[in-house]
Amino acid sequence: MPPTAAALRPFDRERALRLARDTFDIEARALQGLKARQGEAFARSVECILESGGRVVVMGMGKSGHVGRKVAATLASTGTPALFVHPAEASHGDLGMVIPGDVVLAISNSGESDEVAAILPALKRLGVRLIAMTGNPASTLARHADFVLDSAVDVEACPLNLAPTASTTAQMALGDALAVALLDARGFREEDFARSHPGGSLGRKLLMHVRDLMRHGDALPRVGPDDSFHAMLREMTGKGLGFAAVVDAAGRPIGIFTDGDLRRLIEKEVDLRGLHAREVMHRGPRLVRDGDLAVDAADVMEQFRITSVLVVDAEGVLVGALNSNDLMRAKVI
């Protein structure tokens, strides 16, 4: 790459730090100014989106377009269906993605983007509502909009006052504010967020239930209270969970015997021959319901410092078992 005048200048650490601090100060002031200017237009924009029943179609060119993609993604993940349409591509067919009932959120700092201006008449013919997010309330975009969100900043953080910096920060924050106001108005909850983020840690914690992970059926080690110690040990080793559940005639768990219990008996040199399950089981095993969240089962294990829990149904009948390895494989913990 050919050298430039900037590249030939000796690096100045203090100057770099000063510019960084100046950037933070300038952008913080921009956000404070943004906060002071929001009023009726913001509230009516939120109301317009809520009442539309359609989607929010976000548009923007250049850096405003990059912001727009993020705004659309944030809206979609917080309960407001949204998508991004590139204004230049809209003039060549992508305008077909916009349908009556949608609300268009057009982002342009100058409000004079040629690509956005070119499709304003078509948007009007479609009968969609238009929200303008612009730093120029007197612009072409603002004049055609139903509502105008003022995203103006006094100065960019760029030392040349050219590169979009403070202005894009303001746009991003204003988009976040819209998303937050909308999710609150919709009564959006953690469970709703998890449904749109099934691959994330929150999704796993709020959507994964014990029944989804538990061992059940033939994989579940269980014995009766009068079964021999030998039979219980065979059940434990055969199922590979490190314990055996002891259940009564109705199938309700009354005890548990674990690898740890076995080690303690051996250390005490107890004669294991002739013993029965009821004589060595640990009474009052920790139980969880099959409909509980997996993360709640993890909390039980952590609280009582155990690695396994028995799973029962609404009638208290043993239906499964869960251990910490199951939770780790599912990335719940």
Side-chain angles (χ1 to χ4, degrees), residues 83-97:
L83 70 154
F84 178 82
V85 173
H86 195 286
E89 298 295 341
S91 292
H92 297 277
D94 281 6
L95 196 62
M97 297 181 183

Side-chain angles (χ1 to χ4, degrees), residues 2-321:
T4 64
L8 295 175
R9 177 191 298 163
F11 177 63
D12 186 335
R13 293 177 180 270
E14 289 303 316
R15 176 182 172 82
L17 285 170
R18 177 174 57 79
L19 286 172
R21 296 186 185 107
D22 289 347
T23 298
F24 301 144
D25 288 339
I26 291 169
E27 297 198 358
R29 287 195 297 270
L31 294 182
Q32 288 300 319
L34 188 70
K35 172 184 173 182
R37 291 195 304 276
Q38 301 315 307
E40 182 65 17
F42 182 89
R44 293 183 66 189
S45 295
V46 172
E47 189 175 23
C48 171
I49 294 170
L50 288 170
E51 293 177 349
S52 70
R55 307 159 304 170
V56 176
V57 180
V58 186
M59 296 183 175
M61 284 296 299
K63 301 300 185 294
S64 294
H66 293 305
V67 171
R69 292 182 188 276
K70 190 273 180 187
V71 171
T74 300
L75 288 168
S77 71
T78 53
T80 298
L83 70 154
F84 178 82
V85 173
H86 195 286
E89 298 295 341
S91 292
H92 297 277
D94 281 6
L95 196 62
M97 297 181 183
V98 186
I99 59 177
D102 287 342
V103 175
V104 172
L105 172 62
I107 306 174
S108 172
N109 188 41
S110 69
E112 299 295 345
S113 167
D114 291 339
E115 294 84 354
V116 174
I119 60 175
L120 291 178
L123 292 175
K124 284 295 184 183
R125 287 194 296 272
L126 282 171
V128 298
R129 308 298 294 277
L130 175 62
I131 300 172
M133 183 187 297
T134 179
N136 183 4
S139 63
T140 300
L141 174 61
R143 290 197 304 272
H144 283 79
D146 296 287
F147 309 105
V148 178
L149 300 177
D150 185 354
S151 62
V153 298
D154 293 332
V155 63
E156 299 286 7
C158 166
L160 303 176
N161 197 29
L162 295 175
T165 45
S167 58
T168 49
T169 297
Q171 292 170 350
M172 192 81 75
L174 194 47
D176 287 343
L178 275 175
V180 168
L182 286 164
L183 75 85
D184 179 72
R186 295 183 191 280
F188 196 77
R189 302 166 300 170
E190 282 187 338
E191 291 82 0
D192 301 312
F193 187 87
R195 275 190 284 273
S196 60
H197 296 75
S201 60
L202 180 61
R204 288 190 292 271
K205 289 180 179 179
L206 294 181
L207 296 180
M208 196 77 70
H209 289 82
V210 169
R211 67 169 64 94
D212 301 321
L213 304 177
M214 69 183 189
R215 315 289 182 93
H216 60 280
D218 292 338
L220 183 60
R222 74 178 89 197
V223 295
D226 296 321
D227 285 345
S228 69
F229 183 85
H230 178 73
M232 183 172 63
L233 195 59
R234 186 171 59 246
E235 186 76 358
M236 282 178 60
T237 56
K239 302 299 173 61
L241 284 180
F243 69 88
V246 184
V247 299
D248 63 16
R252 295 182 177 87
I254 57 174
I256 190 170
F257 185 79
T258 68
D259 285 341
D261 295 324
L262 176 60
R263 286 194 298 271
R264 285 185 284 274
L265 288 176
I266 293 174
E267 289 170 358
K268 294 177 181 179
E269 299 182 351
V270 173
D271 185 359
L272 304 178
R273 294 171 299 179
L275 292 177
H276 295 84
R278 71 166 68 250
E279 299 172 277
V280 294
M281 70 182 185
H282 177 74
R283 296 183 181 275
R286 300 298 172 185
L287 308 175
V288 296
R289 292 277 293 273
D290 56 349
D292 290 346
L293 289 173
V295 69
D296 292 334
D299 289 341
V300 171
M301 293 184 197
E302 182 178 359
Q303 179 182 355
F304 295 101
R305 298 182 180 181
I306 55 178
T307 58
S308 302
V309 290
L310 302 181
V311 184
V312 296
D313 62 14
E315 284 72 43
V317 175
L318 182 70
V319 293

